[in-house]
Amino acid sequence: MKKYIVETSLSYPKKGAMGKTGSWRVFKPVLDTKKCVKCLRCWISCPEASIHREKDNSVSIDYDFCKGCGICANECNVKAIVMEREKTKGK
Amino acid sequence: MALKDLPVDECLLQGNASCPGCPATIGLRLVLKALGKKTIMVVPACCTAVIESLYPYTSFDVPVMNIAFEAAAAGASGVEAALRQQGRTDITVVAWAGDGGTYDIGLQALSGALERGTNFIYICYNNQIYSNTGIQRSGATPFAAWTTTTVGGKTEFRKELGEIILAHHIPYAAQTCISYPEDLYNKIKKAMSIKGSKYVEILAPCPPGWRFSMDKTLEMGRLAVDTGAWSLWECENDVMTFNGKSKLLLEKKIERKPIEEWIKYQGRFSHLFKPELDEKRLQAIQEHIDHLWERYRKCYVKI
């Protein structure tokens, strides 16, 4: 059988293909672990997969990639996540 | 299925090019959680083609084939035929297209693939506009909504693509929304287990396109279901079932909220409220939804 080689542009998977998207953020979500009831609503609602889920269902926020949309704070029923304005550096 | 039972693995990587609060990435995460890594995706021109990010990197951890706007279902048919020839039946082929690529441009290829009975899942994430090219009107845009091509509000009602799909009598068709993750996950899992053509449509409220605050993405989806502007149903072998809230609405167990509840949060409908209340058009939208649900009741409620 004759084999054809098709040359095409191929992209490979990489975490952070657009760089550290955390720099897009204006408001930053802050998690209060004492209030958290481990319902995982923030984890499943995050568009960016920036809320990490541990084995015991506790969550932590990855600030390198969080775009600061605020869905997690809006979805949290016990208000364990609040949005705070990012501090500007060097001003 | 509870939230804690959903898999932890992510096939959509962090740091992609989506807008903050993007509904498509919420949908993609859930869909890829259900499908797993043995999946080939076919993506036409849509927002997801942008979310894949810049060459030579991609944010997808599964194979993706990019294809022309009108050819999502045709491309998926080709991928499925090639896999069948190689005897690889363990791989799911998924076409993932926006509403522009499904309602308008890709409808002919989709209808063809469904008619041939291609063994694949077609997923349409419906944000009711061509958001990738800059918020133009599509066949899914509702009546009176602002877009960049319908400045005073759209003058036509949206078409019911779900019912066009049902007319193909495929083994499985469903409508769901990103605001109900368990519902979405279960429907994709069910679609995976069935052989033949499957169609799933996901409502995806788009913050820049619908002009609402980006933290309200999931709330808009829930309100769309509560007001009856969107419905959750699945149709397996021509047996129609409504799910969740839509089932309660259909059986009149809970009261449907007035449509204003949904549209008052969206900037694309703001011309209906200011400078003065446009009661005529608001009433037209409400009547359209009442009529739709009356028809659902006549067709699908067993007496």
Side-chain angles (χ1 to χ4, degrees), chain B residues 135-292:
Chain B
I135 319 170
Q136 285 88 6
R137 129 203 222 286
S138 81
T141 310
F143 177 71
W146 166 91
T147 65
T148 49
T149 46
T150 55
V151 177
K154 196 185 170 190
T155 50
E156 301 85 18
F157 288 97
R158 75 177 183 91
K159 63 177 160 190
E160 289 289 322
L161 189 71
E163 301 191 18
I164 301 174
I165 300 298
L166 290 183
H168 290 80
H169 303 291
I170 53 172
Y172 188 76
Q175 238 179 231
T176 180
C177 174
I178 53 148
S179 309
Y180 299 90
E182 296 99 331
D183 186 68
L184 202 165
Y185 184 86
N186 290 342
K187 280 174 179 169
I188 300 290
K189 273 279 178 206
K190 199 171 201 176
M192 264 178 89
S193 67
I194 296 168
K195 205 173 181 302
S197 301
K198 285 87 64 177
Y199 175 84
V200 181
E201 188 169 343
I202 304 170
L203 182 73
C206 170
W210 295 16
R211 297 273 187 265
F212 62 85
S213 166
M214 60 189 171
D215 58 340
K216 297 277 188 291
T217 304
L218 295 180
E219 216 171 299
M220 282 301 132
R222 277 195 291 273
L223 281 172
V225 174
D226 287 354
T227 55
W230 190 251
S231 47
L232 312 172
W233 52 257
E234 58 184 341
C235 184
E236 205 180 339
N237 296 320
D238 286 343
V239 180
M240 184 85 162
T241 8
F242 278 69
N243 312 106
K245 274 241 171 101
S246 294
K247 192 180 178 194
L248 298 174
L249 287 175
L250 187 77
E251 292 167 354
K252 286 194 172 170
K253 283 186 179 153
I254 52 171
E255 201 59 31
R256 204 165 64 236
K257 284 184 183 169
I259 193 69
E260 282 98 327
E261 292 284 312
W262 182 53
I263 64 178
K264 72 182 175 193
Y265 295 108
Q266 299 172 38
R268 61 173 178 164
F269 289 110
S270 62
H271 56 274
L272 299 181
F273 296 98
K274 55 187 180 185
E276 56 195 26
L277 200 67
D278 191 343
E279 279 177 6
K280 210 174 155 191
R281 277 201 279 184
L282 277 172
Q283 208 186 342
I285 301 172
Q286 187 63 58
E287 272 172 12
H288 182 71
I289 288 178
D290 291 345
H291 177 72
L292 182 76

Side-chain angles (χ1 to χ4, degrees), chain A residues 8-19 21 24 39-53 57 62 65-71 74-75, chain B residues 3-8 10 12-22 25-26 29-30 33 53-61 181 214-219 222:
Chain A
T8 178
S9 49
L10 201 59
S11 296
Y12 291 93
K14 189 197 175 205
K15 193 170 163 181
M18 293 302 283
T21 48
W24 300 10
C39 68
L40 296 173
R41 286 186 68 83
C42 53
W43 166 71
I44 204 69
S45 327
C46 180
E48 200 51 34
S50 280
I51 295 187
H52 293 310
R53 171 185 167 183
N57 288 342
D62 184 346
F65 296 107
C66 167
K67 289 170 184 165
C69 64
I71 289 182
N74 199 47
E75 287 301 304
Chain B
L3 282 184
K4 64 177 181 354
D5 301 326
L6 299 183
V8 186
E10 300 287 346
L12 184 72
L13 302 175
Q14 292 170 291
N16 55 51
S18 65
C19 306
C22 179
T25 43
I26 302 177
R29 274 185 69 208
L30 283 162
K33 271 182 200 298
S53 311
L54 298 176
Y55 179 82
Y57 303 117
T58 171
S59 56
F60 278 73
D61 213 1
M214 60 189 171
D215 58 340
K216 297 277 188 291
T217 304
L218 295 180
E219 216 171 299
R222 277 195 291 273

